């Protein structure tokens, strides 16, 4: 006897979302327990963006049984230590949102609280000097986190840049080796059960029929199952995040790839640059009522650091979400909603949905209790990330530009207003209901976007100021020395042997 009556699961759509679903679930459920089928059509293109990730991708890859070195080779991947934001506060200004943390808490107070106390007394060195990930990124060096708390490498965290199309192919090979069945076909009709309103089967364009107990909708913005068949509406968040277009183009690689993503503010939006081993990924996210598609493409092409390798590709979207689990359908990827990739969260939302789906795996074809808690978890995650993205736009000094003027003046979610008030009062960055982005993430972006604390944690007043200053000076020297001793980023990418060798040193 099995705890669940779901034994046949059908994934509709391939691409990154579809093959992440297949690879992950096939690693958790043996084929004798859960048969997995992917229905995809070469006639329907995939978006193919989402080449930058954040550190939780490591959790997903490990759970899916993916070898890191093989994955990087197969996807032309590079390492990522953070995101550099250029011109967001004002033209000519830049800062980094580094991964990891600047240091451990000291005597019950956050590391940055001690730095704030020092800065109030005239300490000249920026917090970035103590953030190991940023120090390495600026030097174009890399190393893995260490389990030894005595080294600053214990505060490191990292993610990846990779070719999303190659990632999907890599995952497909893994999934098919575990028995996942692939059907090349176009879905002509989604049939519902007249008794309970669940999805009964798929009618394919070639006349075949695919039955299942549960279905995962990876059909992108079409939302063929969750939206069109089950009628789950879309909640529009464009009043908070008005960008609704993107244009993307690859360019030649002209220099050693750097271990961070770049996001540069433009008049009508922002431009990304992602360094891969074989090329550079570029794109411009923009508001269509402020710039035409042709003007956006021209702006993007004019700001490449090397010749383009293809024609620009355009993407239309509306920022928002829908309830992503209903009846016997789970929406994964763009079918569930979309937040612009400013903080590289697109692939994260895919993995987060799959991990939480596995944790609330349906006991029956329609399991409203499990679906209810799943939808709550996903809603909280999306709202927290929405607040994080909105803050990037809102906290700016780009006066006289319509997009940025509008962002400064727009009404904010109450949850974001509270976060800003707490940080402004005392540098407090531990907020209620924190999910993906924690204290170090908010700290880096709030300081970077110019939100200045008016005070600091009084717990730090217990130690003599000169003692604190001496400790910070010593840490700063140690971090610089350790960073100089790390290998150039590209050295880790020359061959797969670099990965296990470097881990052995950590």
């Amino acid at each position: 006897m099995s705890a669940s009556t779901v034994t046949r699961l059908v994934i509709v759509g391939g691409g990154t979302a579809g093959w992440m679903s297949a690879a992950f679930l096939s690693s958790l459920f043996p084929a004798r327990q859960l048969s997995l089928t992917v229905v995809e059509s070469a006639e329907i293109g995939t978006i193919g963006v989402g080449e930058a990730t954040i550190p939780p991708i490591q959790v997903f890859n490990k759970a899916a049984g993916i070898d890191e070195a093989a994955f990087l080779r197969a996807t032309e991947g590079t390492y990522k230590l953070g995101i550099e934001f250029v011109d967001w506060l004002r033209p000519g200004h830049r800062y980094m949102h580094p991964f990891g943390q600047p240091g451990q808490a000291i005597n019950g107070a956050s590391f940055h609280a001690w730095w704030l106390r020092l800065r109030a007394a005239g300490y000249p060195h920026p917090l970035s000097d103590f953030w190991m990930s940023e120090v390495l990124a600026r030097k174009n060096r890399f190393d893995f986190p260490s389990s030894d708390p005595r080294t600053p490498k214990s505060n490191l965290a990292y993610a990846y840049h990779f070719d999303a199309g190659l990632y999907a192919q890599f995952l497909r090979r893994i999934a098919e080796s575990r028995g996942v069945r692939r059907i090349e076909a176009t879905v002509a009709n989604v049939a519902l059960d007249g008794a309970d309103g669940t999805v009964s089967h798929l009618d394919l364009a070639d006349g075949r029929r695919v039955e299942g107990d549960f279905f995962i909708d990876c059909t992108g913005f079409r939302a063929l199952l969750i939206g069109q068949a089950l009628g789950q509406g879309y909640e529009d968040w464009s009043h908070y995040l008005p960008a609704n277009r993107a244009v993307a183009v690859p360019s030649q690689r002209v220099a050693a790839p750097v271990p961070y993503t770049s996001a540069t503010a433009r008049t009508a939006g922002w431009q990304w640059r992602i360094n891969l081993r074989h090329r550079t990924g570029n794109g411009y996210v923009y508001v269509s009522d402020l710039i035409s598609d042709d003007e956006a493409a021209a702006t993007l092409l004019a700001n490449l650091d090397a010749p383009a390798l293809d024609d620009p590709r355009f993407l239309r979207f509306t920022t928002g979400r829908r309830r992503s689990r209903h009846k016997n359908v789970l929406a994964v990827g763009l079918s569930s909603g979309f937040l612009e990739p400013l903080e590289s969260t697109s692939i994260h939302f895919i993995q987060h949905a799959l991990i939480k789906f596995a944790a609330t795996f349906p006991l029956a074809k329609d399991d409203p209790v499990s679906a209810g808690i799943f939808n709550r978890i996903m809603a909280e995650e999306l709202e927290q990330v929405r607040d994080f993205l909105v803050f990037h736009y809102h906290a700016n000094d780009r006066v006289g530009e319509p997009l940025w003027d509008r962002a400064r003046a727009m009404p904010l979610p109450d949850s974001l207003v509270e976060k800003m008030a707490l940080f402004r009062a005392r540098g407090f960055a531990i907020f209620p209901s924190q999910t993906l982005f924690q204290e170090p993430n908010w700290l880096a972006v709030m300081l970077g976007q110019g939100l200045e604390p008016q005070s600091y944690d009084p717990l730090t007043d217990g130690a003599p100021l000169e003692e604190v200053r001496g400790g910070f000076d010593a840490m700063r020297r140690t971090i610089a020395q350790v960073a100089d001793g790390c290998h150039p980023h590209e050295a880790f990418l020359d061959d797969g042997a670099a990965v296990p060798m470097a881990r052995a040193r950590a």
Side-chain angles (χ1 to χ4, degrees):
M1 179 179 176
S2 174
S4 174
T5 60
V6 174
T7 60
R8 301 170 301 168
L9 192 147
V10 180
I11 300 164
V12 186
T16 306
W19 289 109
M20 283 181 72
S21 301
F24 179 72
L25 293 174
S26 65
S27 73
L28 299 182
F29 297 95
R32 65 180 181 275
Q33 179 183 358
L34 182 68
S35 73
L36 291 164
T37 301
V38 176
V39 179
E40 68 173 338
S41 172
E43 298 175 5
I44 301 174
T46 58
I47 299 299
V49 296
E51 296 171 323
T53 59
I54 50 181
I57 185 69
Q58 295 178 61
V59 176
F60 176 85
N61 280 357
K62 288 176 184 176
I66 294 171
D67 175 76
E68 185 177 74
F71 149 71
L72 287 170
R73 286 194 300 268
T75 63
E76 298 287 352
T78 62
Y79 293 104
K80 176 181 174 181
L81 292 167
I83 306 171
E84 181 185 48
F85 290 92
V86 181
D87 298 340
W88 279 77
L89 179 58
R90 69 181 73 90
H93 179 270
R94 65 179 62 213
Y95 72 93
M96 186 169 286
H97 170 196
F99 298 148
Q101 59 186 2
Q104 304 289 337
I106 304 170
N107 294 338
S110 297
F111 182 88
H112 75 274
W114 295 90
W115 173 80
L116 285 173
R117 181 192 172 198
L118 282 176
R119 190 178 68 161
Y123 194 64
H125 302 298
L127 186 62
S128 57
D129 283 1
F130 302 91
W131 216 308
M132 187 67 185
S133 293
E134 180 165 358
V135 174
L136 281 178
R138 297 294 185 196
K139 294 175 180 288
N140 201 8
R141 294 178 179 273
F142 182 79
D143 209 339
F144 292 102
S146 171
S147 59
D148 184 351
R150 295 170 298 178
T151 171
K153 287 192 284 188
S154 63
N155 294 314
L156 284 170
Y158 70 95
Y160 314 103
H161 304 121
F162 54 76
D163 184 310
L166 294 178
Y167 186 48
Q169 294 173 26
F170 176 70
L171 294 175
R172 174 183 166 182
R173 292 192 293 272
I174 290 174
E176 289 184 320
S177 72
R178 296 172 179 162
V180 174
R181 183 171 66 123
R182 177 183 179 272
I183 297 176
E184 167 67 36
T186 300
V187 176
N189 177 59
V190 179
L192 301 183
D193 187 316
D196 59 15
T198 61
V199 173
S200 168
H201 64 272
L202 307 175
D203 294 313
L204 306 184
D206 60 10
R208 286 180 290 175
R209 173 170 167 163
V210 178
E211 296 182 342
D213 303 314
F214 205 93
F215 296 79
I216 296 183
D217 186 342
C218 298
T219 62
F221 291 128
R222 291 185 303 143
L224 183 62
L225 282 74
I226 196 73
Q228 295 182 35
L230 294 187
Q232 292 302 292
Y234 195 81
E235 183 180 346
D236 187 337
W237 280 351
S238 56
H239 53 293
Y240 289 132
L241 295 164
N244 58 0
R245 299 281 193 279
V247 56
V249 68
S251 63
Q252 294 179 10
R253 173 187 156 179
V254 294
V258 297
Y260 56 90
T261 305
S262 293
T264 301
R266 302 286 182 214
T267 301
W270 61 278
Q271 179 175 332
W272 78 74
R273 187 179 75 237
I274 299 170
N275 291 269
L276 305 180
R277 293 195 68 184
H278 63 318
R279 63 172 172 82
T280 300
N282 310 275
Y284 185 10
V285 176
Y286 58 97
V287 181
S288 62
D289 64 358
L290 297 177
I291 190 173
S292 70
D293 290 347
D294 288 344
E295 290 172 321
T299 299
L300 175 61
L301 292 171
N303 287 284
L304 299 182
D305 57 6
L309 295 174
D310 205 344
D311 294 329
R313 296 173 53 221
F314 291 90
L315 171 69
R316 297 186 174 196
F317 59 86
T318 300
T319 298
R321 67 177 179 188
R322 60 167 45 90
R323 186 169 59 164
S324 56
R325 185 167 164 184
H326 182 62
K327 298 289 187 180
N328 63 334
V329 171
L330 168 69
V332 172
L334 300 177
S335 58
S336 67
F338 184 77
L339 292 177
E340 61 188 77
L342 181 58
E343 284 284 353
S344 307
T345 52
S346 297
I347 286 177
H348 170 77
F349 284 128
I350 296 173
Q351 72 173 67
H352 189 65
L354 292 170
I355 290 170
K356 298 308 178 185
F357 175 65
T360 59
F361 194 81
L363 299 179
K365 188 175 183 181
D366 187 5
D367 182 350
V369 174
S370 298
I373 189 62
F374 174 90
N375 286 325
R376 266 186 58 195
I377 291 169
M378 293 304 296
E380 289 178 2
E381 184 89 335
L382 281 160
E383 288 169 7
Q384 292 295 317
V385 175
R386 176 204 63 193
D387 284 2
F388 197 52
L389 301 188
V390 168
F391 179 78
H392 290 66
Y393 280 98
H394 173 72
N396 79 84
D397 293 337
R398 297 179 64 104
V399 179
E401 298 176 283
L403 169 64
W404 304 97
D405 290 344
R406 183 193 309 173
R408 280 196 313 279
M410 71 176 171
L412 299 174
D414 290 342
S415 51
L416 178 55
V417 171
E418 180 184 36
K419 293 179 178 72
M420 292 173 62
L422 284 168
F423 190 77
R424 185 181 289 113
R426 54 187 293 166
F428 198 79
I430 300 176
F431 305 126
S433 303
Q434 278 184 323
T435 52
L436 173 61
F437 293 119
Q438 304 280 326
E439 179 184 48
N441 311 105
W442 281 99
L443 171 66
V445 174
M446 285 181 157
L447 288 175
Q449 292 290 150
L451 186 63
E452 290 293 336
Q454 297 170 351
S455 188
Y456 56 84
D457 191 333
L459 283 176
T460 64
D461 282 328
L465 186 62
E466 287 309 309
E467 181 180 312
V468 177
R469 187 191 306 272
F472 266 66
D473 285 342
M475 275 188 279
R476 183 171 175 270
R477 289 191 297 271
T478 298
I479 288 169
Q481 291 167 359
V482 171
D484 285 338
C486 293
H487 290 294
H489 174 225
E490 196 169 24
F492 284 83
L493 308 174
D494 289 338
D495 58 63
V499 176
M501 285 171 56
R503 285 206 186 283
R505 292 198 314 270

